[in-house]
Amino acid sequence: MTTAPNPKMFESMRKVMNGFWIVVPAYLLLSLVMPFLLILALMLLVAHTLELPIAFLRLKGKNLPASEVVGKTLLYGFTWWLPKSLEGKR
């Protein structure tokens, strides 16, 4: 049995993701010492870049600026745009 998403669930996810921004600079600093982290960071960047068309399609009715969609999708991937696309559908 699955539970339907609710606003409290999305709000708690948003709070967690707001603090997640520190991961990108940390990866960049660590990649100076550990090259495999640079490769991992590049793979994540490519994966999130490939999500952009889907994010724009899912968020087109939300009237969000393109810079916000691109920036947050590159930083957070689907964990940002998927909950954002489901907001207000209840």
Side-chain angles (χ1 to χ4, degrees):
M1 184 170 149
T2 61
T3 59
N6 61 44
K8 286 183 182 180
M9 187 184 304
F10 290 129
E11 187 59 33
S12 64
M13 180 188 275
R14 183 173 290 120
K15 286 179 183 177
V16 169
M17 294 310 292
N18 281 341
F20 192 68
W21 63 270
I22 193 70
V23 170
V24 173
Y27 261 92
L28 293 174
L29 288 173
L30 287 173
S31 68
L32 296 172
V33 189
M34 301 174 197
F36 75 93
L37 287 178
L38 181 59
I39 294 168
L40 180 61
L42 290 174
M43 288 172 38
L44 289 172
L45 178 65
V46 168
H48 291 319
T49 301
L50 294 174
E51 292 177 341
L52 285 172
I54 300 168
F56 277 111
L57 285 173
R58 293 290 300 260
L59 297 172
K60 69 180 174 183
K62 301 286 184 182
N63 297 323
L64 296 168
S67 60
E68 182 179 1
V69 175
V70 170
K72 290 186 177 178
T73 301
L74 289 178
L75 284 175
Y76 306 125
F78 82 96
T79 60
W80 175 76
W81 62 257
L82 183 61
K84 192 74 169 172
S85 70
L86 296 174
E87 281 180 0
K89 290 199 175 190
R90 253 183 97 160

